[in-house]
Amino acid sequence: MRVVLLGPPGVGKGTQAARLSALAGIPHVSTGDMLREAVRKGSPLGRSVRGHVDGGTLVPDEVVGEAIADRLDQEDAAAGFLLDGFPRTIEQVEILDRILKRLGVELSAVVALDAPDSVIVRRLAGRRVCPSCWTVYHLESHPPRSAGVCDLCGSALVQRTDDEEEVIRERLRVYAEQTVAVREAYRERGLLRSVDGAGDANEVFRTLRELVARP
Ligand code: AP5
């Protein structure tokens, strides 16, 4: 299974990718998580991308492309992977094409999740994340067992720096301007499948699971 999950900020890509990757036993490769981890560590990559991540603009294609190429070269990705947050520009589609060609594999599906803006804003406003293991929670739909604390590692939960109202608007603008074209490119190749992401997480997961299992 080699799947790309597309969709606007906060639609539930990370939530669904985590579930699907656990079920299928393949890695969940999230460029957002990779970049946030680099920022947290203060690595040279983190220092160079911090302004983009905090401001909701896209990190340069070649920087993300290199990080993805390295990640997909790792042994655990040989059996398959779920890409969450990549590709998001037409240039990144071409970068992924080159990586897949080099690895001698093809995508099995590109799934686009969608939800109205009102749903997205509610989801992002209530999101809390663990800054150590990046588990994602929601104050209403998926609260931690103990308020403000990660169920898995006990770290104090935080709000993402890019979940401020102004940055959310910028991320939605960037999605419309750059990433909608990626969906169209995959639609033209006959790879695109759509899932309504507005329902509850279990309902969305059932649809997604059936769809990616279909040949
Ligand atoms: P990234 O981390 O990829 O952010 P994003 O695409 O904006 O997506 P999000 O992580 O915000 O949302 P999601 O769809 O995963 O939703 P989630 O499951 O968390 O990118 C961040 C930044 O990194 C970018 O702005 C850019 O700077 C940089 N970057 C990353 N990739 C890049 C690339 N390829 N090129 C260049 N730059 C790149 O869900 C949201 C909330 O809703 C959660 O609280 C969750 O619990 C809740 N929820 C989820 N599903 C449901 C449901 N069905 N019902 C109720 N609640 C739900």
Side-chain angles (χ1 to χ4, degrees), residues 6-17 28 30-33 35-36 49-61 64-65 68 84-89 92 113 119-120 122-129 136-143 160 162-163 167 171-172 174-175 196-205:
L6 289 176
V11 73
K13 301 180 297 295
T15 299
Q16 297 301 330
H28 166 198
S30 157
T31 39
D33 286 351
L35 296 169
R36 278 185 291 278
V49 302
R50 179 170 205 150
H52 290 290
V53 173
D54 287 350
T57 55
L58 294 183
V59 168
D61 293 326
V64 198
I68 281 287
D84 160 12
F86 182 93
R88 305 155 104 98
T89 64
Q92 291 181 20
L113 289 173
V119 171
I120 283 172
R122 210 164 52 242
R123 287 188 184 169
L124 291 178
R127 173 163 61 187
R128 297 293 180 272
V129 297
V136 175
Y137 299 89
H138 191 277
L139 294 178
E140 289 156 18
S141 64
H142 179 40
R160 265 171 49 176
D162 59 350
D163 278 348
V167 184
R171 288 160 63 205
L172 288 168
V174 168
Y175 178 78
D196 179 3
D200 81 43
N202 292 334
E203 195 181 310
V204 176
F205 185 60

Side-chain angles (χ1 to χ4, degrees), residues 37-85:
E37 179 63 13
V39 170
R40 186 178 72 92
K41 283 185 178 154
S43 67
L45 170 66
R47 288 197 297 276
S48 77
V49 302
R50 179 170 205 150
H52 290 290
V53 173
D54 287 350
T57 55
L58 294 183
V59 168
D61 293 326
E62 60 281 8
V63 174
V64 198
E66 203 175 309
I68 281 287
D70 287 348
R71 182 64 189 87
L72 297 188
D73 275 343
Q74 288 173 27
E75 214 178 316
D76 66 342
F81 48 77
L82 269 160
L83 291 181
D84 160 12

Side-chain angles (χ1 to χ4, degrees), residues 97-119:
D97 285 345
R98 288 197 290 275
I99 296 171
L100 296 174
K101 191 170 176 201
R102 176 171 60 76
L103 295 173
V105 297
E106 291 184 349
L107 290 177
S108 35
V110 176
V111 180
L113 289 173
D114 275 306
D117 280 3
S118 56
V119 171

